[in-house]
Amino acid sequence: MTQAMYPGTFDPITNGHYDLVRRAAVIFDKVVVAIAANPGKTPLFTLEQRVDLAARVLADLPNVTVKGYSGLTVEFARQNDLSVVVRGLRAISDFEFEFQLANMSRHIARDVETVFLTPQEQFTFISSTLVREIAVLGGNVSEFVHPIVEAELRKHRRV
Ligand SMILES: Nc1ncnc2c1ncn2[C@@H]1O[C@H](COP(=O)(O)OP(=O)(O)OP(=O)(O)O)[C@@H](O)[C@H]1O
Ligand SMILES: [Mg+2]
């Protein structure tokens, strides 16, 4: 049985993230969406809120669970018996950082493998950062996030 983790900040979960999880859930027996506390990024949503939103959005995928974590991603993988780390590539711009991260992870934990998935084309330009910025400024993000997430984002509107 191959269990994978999909780590990220998920601030908040987008349709791009969903597309990736759905693909991973077909390939692996179990997928843990692992939400990093990531205080350095000063997230808009608390860790609890991010976990709760992701869990609700991903509820229709039976072999997917959502967990929050702090600390090293590869440590979380080891502790939870997850042998694969799934990451997403939207464009070449993601590649450099993701390549560096994957190599560093391998250096720290040789037994954990990183695999990359790409989303369907219409999701390649979606990032949580852009979604947050648009929502905070009163823009419409209904194409990019689940209605549950859209409703939560509306509470952060500044205009
Ligand atoms: N639309 C998307 N399609 C495919 N992969 C994605 C998409 N958005 C994020 N990812 C991938 O998901 C993983 C976790 O991403 P993360 O939580 O940083 O989301 P993000 O949208 O990049 O948010 P932020 O803008 O806050 O960095 C990363 O590997 C990232 O490349
Ligand atoms: Mg990112």
Side-chain angles (χ1 to χ4, degrees):
M1 178 152 129
T2 311
Q3 306 192 104
M5 82 182 275
Y6 177 31
T9 315
F10 301 94
D11 184 35
I13 186 164
T14 67
N15 292 344
H17 293 129
Y18 183 92
D19 183 88
L20 230 69
V21 177
R22 196 175 53 76
R23 287 169 201 286
V26 174
I27 302 170
F28 302 105
D29 298 301
K30 193 182 141 197
V31 177
V32 178
V33 173
I35 307 194
N38 234 337
K41 261 185 161 181
T42 52
L44 182 65
F45 293 104
T46 67
L47 180 60
E48 269 178 355
Q49 288 172 325
R50 285 178 277 143
V51 169
D52 178 61
L53 283 175
R56 286 157 71 195
V57 168
L58 299 167
D60 62 331
L61 302 172
N63 59 335
V64 174
T65 53
V66 181
K67 281 186 185 171
Y69 76 105
S70 47
L72 286 177
T73 300
V74 287
E75 266 316 307
F76 181 91
R78 272 190 184 140
Q79 281 163 9
N80 293 274
D81 206 21
L82 308 167
S83 54
V84 176
V85 170
V86 175
R87 296 285 289 179
L89 290 176
R90 283 163 286 200
I92 295 290
S93 50
D94 277 335
F95 181 80
E96 196 162 328
F97 175 66
E98 293 293 341
F99 187 65
Q100 187 183 20
L101 199 61
N103 280 308
M104 182 57 91
S105 297
R106 178 177 282 162
H107 198 80
I108 299 173
R110 298 225 163 257
D111 46 337
V112 177
E113 208 64 68
T114 301
V115 304
F116 298 103
L117 294 176
T118 55
Q120 200 169 311
E121 308 87 85
Q122 80 246 39
F123 301 123
T124 50
F125 59 90
I126 303 176
S127 74
S128 294
T129 299
L130 275 178
V131 165
R132 283 195 308 274
E133 282 177 9
I134 295 164
V136 162
L137 297 174
N140 179 2
V141 293
S142 60
E143 263 185 83
F144 316 128
V145 296
H146 190 284
I148 294 171
V149 176
E150 191 191 359
E152 284 309 306
L153 279 166
R154 207 168 289 133
K155 298 176 185 168
H156 291 275
R157 267 179 84 143
R158 269 197 251 115
V159 288

mmCIF file of all heavy atoms in Angstrom, residues 5 7 69-85 101-114:
data_model
loop_
_atom_site.group_PDB
_atom_site.id
_atom_site.type_symbol
_atom_site.label_atom_id
_atom_site.label_comp_id
_atom_site.label_asym_id
_atom_site.label_seq_id
_atom_site.Cartn_x
_atom_site.Cartn_y
_atom_site.Cartn_z
ATOM 1 N N MET A 5 1.758 11.983 0.766
ATOM 2 C CA MET A 5 1.338 13.238 1.394
ATOM 3 C C MET A 5 1.431 14.360 0.372
ATOM 4 O O MET A 5 2.302 14.344 -0.501
ATOM 5 C CB MET A 5 2.167 13.554 2.640
ATOM 6 C CG MET A 5 3.508 14.202 2.412
ATOM 7 S SD MET A 5 4.426 14.476 3.965
ATOM 8 C CE MET A 5 3.773 16.037 4.535
ATOM 9 N N PRO A 7 1.914 18.146 0.757
ATOM 10 C CA PRO A 7 2.118 19.243 1.688
ATOM 11 C C PRO A 7 1.976 20.614 1.045
ATOM 12 O O PRO A 7 2.228 20.781 -0.150
ATOM 13 C CB PRO A 7 3.572 19.029 2.148
ATOM 14 C CG PRO A 7 4.241 18.429 0.955
ATOM 15 C CD PRO A 7 3.192 17.651 0.200
ATOM 16 N N TYR A 69 0.230 20.299 10.344
ATOM 17 C CA TYR A 69 1.518 19.929 10.944
ATOM 18 C C TYR A 69 2.424 21.144 11.042
ATOM 19 O O TYR A 69 2.253 22.133 10.335
ATOM 20 C CB TYR A 69 2.200 18.802 10.155
ATOM 21 C CG TYR A 69 2.856 19.222 8.843
ATOM 22 C CD1 TYR A 69 4.244 19.337 8.748
ATOM 23 C CD2 TYR A 69 2.097 19.508 7.714
ATOM 24 C CE1 TYR A 69 4.851 19.712 7.558
ATOM 25 C CE2 TYR A 69 2.684 19.873 6.528
ATOM 26 C CZ TYR A 69 4.066 19.980 6.445
ATOM 27 O OH TYR A 69 4.662 20.358 5.264
ATOM 28 N N SER A 70 3.389 21.018 11.962
ATOM 29 C CA SER A 70 4.460 22.014 11.981
ATOM 30 C C SER A 70 5.755 21.205 12.028
ATOM 31 O O SER A 70 5.740 20.028 12.355
ATOM 32 C CB SER A 70 4.328 22.940 13.185
ATOM 33 O OG SER A 70 4.101 22.192 14.340
ATOM 34 N N GLY A 71 6.828 21.800 11.681
ATOM 35 C CA GLY A 71 8.080 21.049 11.640
ATOM 36 C C GLY A 71 8.394 20.594 10.226
ATOM 37 O O GLY A 71 7.750 21.029 9.266
ATOM 38 N N LEU A 72 9.371 19.718 10.127
ATOM 39 C CA LEU A 72 9.857 19.296 8.814
ATOM 40 C C LEU A 72 8.860 18.401 8.101
ATOM 41 O O LEU A 72 8.318 17.461 8.682
ATOM 42 C CB LEU A 72 11.176 18.539 8.967
ATOM 43 C CG LEU A 72 12.435 19.348 9.293
ATOM 44 C CD1 LEU A 72 13.623 18.416 9.477
ATOM 45 C CD2 LEU A 72 12.713 20.370 8.200
ATOM 46 N N THR A 73 8.664 18.658 6.814
ATOM 47 C CA THR A 73 7.754 17.856 6.001
ATOM 48 C C THR A 73 8.195 16.387 5.964
ATOM 49 O O THR A 73 7.374 15.485 6.135
ATOM 50 C CB THR A 73 7.697 18.433 4.569
ATOM 51 O OG1 THR A 73 7.221 19.779 4.663
ATOM 52 C CG2 THR A 73 6.779 17.637 3.677
ATOM 53 N N VAL A 74 9.483 16.154 5.763
ATOM 54 C CA VAL A 74 9.947 14.759 5.677
ATOM 55 C C VAL A 74 9.804 14.029 7.017
ATOM 56 O O VAL A 74 9.595 12.815 7.043
ATOM 57 C CB VAL A 74 11.407 14.656 5.151
ATOM 58 C CG1 VAL A 74 11.450 14.963 3.666
ATOM 59 C CG2 VAL A 74 12.345 15.535 5.940
ATOM 60 N N GLU A 75 9.881 14.768 8.117
ATOM 61 C CA GLU A 75 9.653 14.151 9.435
ATOM 62 C C GLU A 75 8.202 13.706 9.559
ATOM 63 O O GLU A 75 7.897 12.622 10.050
ATOM 64 C CB GLU A 75 9.963 15.146 10.569
ATOM 65 C CG GLU A 75 11.363 15.058 11.110
ATOM 66 C CD GLU A 75 11.836 13.615 11.337
ATOM 67 O OE1 GLU A 75 11.132 12.843 12.027
ATOM 68 O OE2 GLU A 75 12.904 13.267 10.814
ATOM 69 N N PHE A 76 7.306 14.587 9.107
ATOM 70 C CA PHE A 76 5.875 14.257 9.119
ATOM 71 C C PHE A 76 5.632 13.016 8.259
ATOM 72 O O PHE A 76 4.884 12.121 8.641
ATOM 73 C CB PHE A 76 5.052 15.447 8.597
ATOM 74 C CG PHE A 76 3.564 15.203 8.594
ATOM 75 C CD1 PHE A 76 2.779 15.538 9.690
ATOM 76 C CD2 PHE A 76 2.936 14.617 7.484
ATOM 77 C CE1 PHE A 76 1.409 15.297 9.681
ATOM 78 C CE2 PHE A 76 1.574 14.371 7.472
ATOM 79 C CZ PHE A 76 0.804 14.721 8.580
ATOM 80 N N ALA A 77 6.293 12.961 7.116
ATOM 81 C CA ALA A 77 6.149 11.809 6.205
ATOM 82 C C ALA A 77 6.589 10.529 6.916
ATOM 83 O O ALA A 77 5.868 9.531 6.917
ATOM 84 C CB ALA A 77 6.964 12.036 4.936
ATOM 85 N N ARG A 78 7.739 10.566 7.545
ATOM 86 C CA ARG A 78 8.267 9.394 8.253
ATOM 87 C C ARG A 78 7.346 8.956 9.377
ATOM 88 O O ARG A 78 6.997 7.776 9.494
ATOM 89 C CB ARG A 78 9.622 9.734 8.851
ATOM 90 C CG ARG A 78 10.773 9.484 7.911
ATOM 91 C CD ARG A 78 12.060 9.627 8.692
ATOM 92 N NE ARG A 78 13.222 9.502 7.830
ATOM 93 C CZ ARG A 78 14.311 10.257 7.962
ATOM 94 N NH1 ARG A 78 14.363 11.174 8.896
ATOM 95 N NH2 ARG A 78 15.334 10.074 7.165
ATOM 96 N N GLN A 79 6.949 9.929 10.193
ATOM 97 C CA GLN A 79 6.122 9.609 11.366
ATOM 98 C C GLN A 79 4.788 8.997 10.977
ATOM 99 O O GLN A 79 4.217 8.205 11.716
ATOM 100 C CB GLN A 79 5.875 10.872 12.198
ATOM 101 C CG GLN A 79 7.058 11.251 13.062
ATOM 102 C CD GLN A 79 6.986 12.690 13.553
ATOM 103 O OE1 GLN A 79 5.960 13.361 13.376
ATOM 104 N NE2 GLN A 79 8.063 13.175 14.142
ATOM 105 N N ASN A 80 4.276 9.385 9.801
ATOM 106 C CA ASN A 80 2.959 8.909 9.394
ATOM 107 C C ASN A 80 3.028 7.817 8.328
ATOM 108 O O ASN A 80 2.017 7.486 7.706
ATOM 109 C CB ASN A 80 2.102 10.084 8.910
ATOM 110 C CG ASN A 80 1.758 11.038 10.034
ATOM 111 O OD1 ASN A 80 0.785 10.836 10.749
ATOM 112 N ND2 ASN A 80 2.580 12.062 10.247
ATOM 113 N N ASP A 81 4.240 7.302 8.106
ATOM 114 C CA ASP A 81 4.424 6.199 7.177
ATOM 115 C C ASP A 81 4.009 6.563 5.741
ATOM 116 O O ASP A 81 3.350 5.786 5.050
ATOM 117 C CB ASP A 81 3.621 4.986 7.687
ATOM 118 C CG ASP A 81 4.214 3.681 7.204
ATOM 119 O OD1 ASP A 81 5.408 3.682 6.847
ATOM 120 O OD2 ASP A 81 3.476 2.680 7.149
ATOM 121 N N LEU A 82 4.371 7.769 5.338
ATOM 122 C CA LEU A 82 4.018 8.256 3.995
ATOM 123 C C LEU A 82 5.304 8.267 3.169
ATOM 124 O O LEU A 82 6.241 8.994 3.482
ATOM 125 C CB LEU A 82 3.424 9.667 4.080
ATOM 126 C CG LEU A 82 2.266 9.823 5.079
ATOM 127 C CD1 LEU A 82 1.957 11.286 5.336
ATOM 128 C CD2 LEU A 82 1.035 9.088 4.578
ATOM 129 N N SER A 83 5.367 7.439 2.144
ATOM 130 C CA SER A 83 6.635 7.267 1.433
ATOM 131 C C SER A 83 6.780 8.187 0.219
ATOM 132 O O SER A 83 7.841 8.260 -0.390
ATOM 133 C CB SER A 83 6.780 5.812 0.992
ATOM 134 O OG SER A 83 5.646 5.418 0.257
ATOM 135 N N VAL A 84 5.722 8.885 -0.125
ATOM 136 C CA VAL A 84 5.750 9.757 -1.305
ATOM 137 C C VAL A 84 5.260 11.154 -0.950
ATOM 138 O O VAL A 84 4.267 11.308 -0.246
ATOM 139 C CB VAL A 84 4.851 9.180 -2.435
ATOM 140 C CG1 VAL A 84 4.796 10.117 -3.628
ATOM 141 C CG2 VAL A 84 5.321 7.802 -2.862
ATOM 142 N N VAL A 85 5.986 12.152 -1.438
ATOM 143 C CA VAL A 85 5.543 13.543 -1.319
ATOM 144 C C VAL A 85 5.092 14.002 -2.697
ATOM 145 O O VAL A 85 5.847 13.905 -3.659
ATOM 146 C CB VAL A 85 6.673 14.458 -0.798
ATOM 147 C CG1 VAL A 85 6.284 15.935 -0.909
ATOM 148 C CG2 VAL A 85 7.026 14.122 0.642
ATOM 149 N N LEU A 101 13.762 22.013 -3.518
ATOM 150 C CA LEU A 101 13.088 21.424 -2.350
ATOM 151 C C LEU A 101 13.138 19.896 -2.396
ATOM 152 O O LEU A 101 13.431 19.232 -1.395
ATOM 153 C CB LEU A 101 11.637 21.902 -2.351
ATOM 154 C CG LEU A 101 10.833 21.811 -1.066
ATOM 155 C CD1 LEU A 101 11.463 22.648 0.027
ATOM 156 C CD2 LEU A 101 9.404 22.286 -1.322
ATOM 157 N N ALA A 102 12.876 19.333 -3.581
ATOM 158 C CA ALA A 102 12.874 17.873 -3.729
ATOM 159 C C ALA A 102 14.258 17.300 -3.457
ATOM 160 O O ALA A 102 14.408 16.265 -2.799
ATOM 161 C CB ALA A 102 12.404 17.497 -5.138
ATOM 162 N N ASN A 103 15.284 17.973 -3.942
ATOM 163 C CA ASN A 103 16.651 17.489 -3.722
ATOM 164 C C ASN A 103 17.065 17.612 -2.261
ATOM 165 O O ASN A 103 17.720 16.717 -1.720
ATOM 166 C CB ASN A 103 17.628 18.230 -4.631
ATOM 167 C CG ASN A 103 17.604 17.656 -6.037
ATOM 168 O OD1 ASN A 103 17.742 16.455 -6.218
ATOM 169 N ND2 ASN A 103 17.372 18.499 -7.018
ATOM 170 N N MET A 104 16.657 18.705 -1.628
ATOM 171 C CA MET A 104 16.962 18.870 -0.205
ATOM 172 C C MET A 104 16.232 17.803 0.608
ATOM 173 O O MET A 104 16.820 17.190 1.508
ATOM 174 C CB MET A 104 16.560 20.281 0.255
ATOM 175 C CG MET A 104 16.878 20.582 1.694
ATOM 176 S SD MET A 104 18.629 20.361 2.093
ATOM 177 C CE MET A 104 19.269 22.003 1.771
ATOM 178 N N SER A 105 14.972 17.542 0.277
ATOM 179 C CA SER A 105 14.192 16.507 0.972
ATOM 180 C C SER A 105 14.878 15.150 0.835
ATOM 181 O O SER A 105 15.004 14.405 1.803
ATOM 182 C CB SER A 105 12.781 16.391 0.390
ATOM 183 O OG SER A 105 12.092 17.584 0.577
ATOM 184 N N ARG A 106 15.340 14.848 -0.353
ATOM 185 C CA ARG A 106 16.002 13.566 -0.600
ATOM 186 C C ARG A 106 17.289 13.456 0.207
ATOM 187 O O ARG A 106 17.648 12.400 0.710
ATOM 188 C CB ARG A 106 16.288 13.430 -2.091
ATOM 189 C CG ARG A 106 17.029 12.143 -2.419
ATOM 190 C CD ARG A 106 17.237 12.016 -3.902
ATOM 191 N NE ARG A 106 16.026 11.580 -4.572
ATOM 192 C CZ ARG A 106 15.812 11.717 -5.875
ATOM 193 N NH1 ARG A 106 16.709 12.321 -6.631
ATOM 194 N NH2 ARG A 106 14.712 11.275 -6.415
ATOM 195 N N HIS A 107 17.960 14.584 0.329
ATOM 196 C CA HIS A 107 19.203 14.620 1.086
ATOM 197 C C HIS A 107 18.938 14.324 2.564
ATOM 198 O O HIS A 107 19.689 13.608 3.213
ATOM 199 C CB HIS A 107 19.833 16.004 0.927
ATOM 200 C CG HIS A 107 21.265 16.041 1.287
ATOM 201 N ND1 HIS A 107 22.253 15.602 0.420
ATOM 202 C CD2 HIS A 107 21.889 16.421 2.414
ATOM 203 C CE1 HIS A 107 23.419 15.727 1.012
ATOM 204 N NE2 HIS A 107 23.235 16.225 2.217
ATOM 205 N N ILE A 108 17.844 14.864 3.076
ATOM 206 C CA ILE A 108 17.489 14.680 4.491
ATOM 207 C C ILE A 108 16.895 13.296 4.740
ATOM 208 O O ILE A 108 17.165 12.667 5.753
ATOM 209 C CB ILE A 108 16.483 15.773 4.947
ATOM 210 C CG1 ILE A 108 17.089 17.168 4.800
ATOM 211 C CG2 ILE A 108 16.064 15.549 6.393
ATOM 212 C CD1 ILE A 108 16.098 18.283 5.066
ATOM 213 N N ALA A 109 16.055 12.846 3.806
ATOM 214 C CA ALA A 109 15.357 11.569 3.990
ATOM 215 C C ALA A 109 15.375 10.779 2.690
ATOM 216 O O ALA A 109 14.530 11.006 1.817
ATOM 217 C CB ALA A 109 13.921 11.835 4.437
ATOM 218 N N ARG A 110 16.321 9.863 2.562
ATOM 219 C CA ARG A 110 16.495 9.115 1.319
ATOM 220 C C ARG A 110 15.305 8.214 0.982
ATOM 221 O O ARG A 110 15.093 7.840 -0.161
ATOM 222 C CB ARG A 110 17.760 8.246 1.383
ATOM 223 C CG ARG A 110 18.996 9.049 1.556
ATOM 224 C CD ARG A 110 20.138 8.593 0.636
ATOM 225 N NE ARG A 110 21.131 9.667 0.580
ATOM 226 C CZ ARG A 110 21.257 10.499 -0.442
ATOM 227 N NH1 ARG A 110 20.501 10.367 -1.499
ATOM 228 N NH2 ARG A 110 22.143 11.462 -0.410
ATOM 229 N N ASP A 111 14.549 7.848 2.000
ATOM 230 C CA ASP A 111 13.440 6.907 1.803
ATOM 231 C C ASP A 111 12.147 7.589 1.355
ATOM 232 O O ASP A 111 11.156 6.929 1.073
ATOM 233 C CB ASP A 111 13.199 6.113 3.094
ATOM 234 C CG ASP A 111 13.179 7.009 4.325
ATOM 235 O OD1 ASP A 111 13.760 8.124 4.272
ATOM 236 O OD2 ASP A 111 12.587 6.621 5.335
ATOM 237 N N VAL A 112 12.140 8.911 1.302
ATOM 238 C CA VAL A 112 10.930 9.622 0.876
ATOM 239 C C VAL A 112 11.121 10.124 -0.559
ATOM 240 O O VAL A 112 12.092 10.821 -0.859
ATOM 241 C CB VAL A 112 10.616 10.813 1.820
ATOM 242 C CG1 VAL A 112 9.409 11.593 1.332
ATOM 243 C CG2 VAL A 112 10.397 10.312 3.243
ATOM 244 N N GLU A 113 10.212 9.762 -1.443
ATOM 245 C CA GLU A 113 10.317 10.133 -2.863
ATOM 246 C C GLU A 113 9.355 11.288 -3.169
ATOM 247 O O GLU A 113 8.216 11.278 -2.707
ATOM 248 C CB GLU A 113 9.929 8.909 -3.703
ATOM 249 C CG GLU A 113 10.564 8.826 -5.055
ATOM 250 C CD GLU A 113 12.087 8.676 -5.019
ATOM 251 O OE1 GLU A 113 12.587 7.630 -4.583
ATOM 252 O OE2 GLU A 113 12.753 9.619 -5.460
ATOM 253 N N THR A 114 9.815 12.257 -3.958
ATOM 254 C CA THR A 114 8.929 13.351 -4.373
ATOM 255 C C THR A 114 8.453 13.097 -5.800
ATOM 256 O O THR A 114 9.255 12.757 -6.666
ATOM 257 C CB THR A 114 9.664 14.711 -4.335
ATOM 258 O OG1 THR A 114 10.138 14.951 -3.010
ATOM 259 C CG2 THR A 114 8.734 15.850 -4.734
#
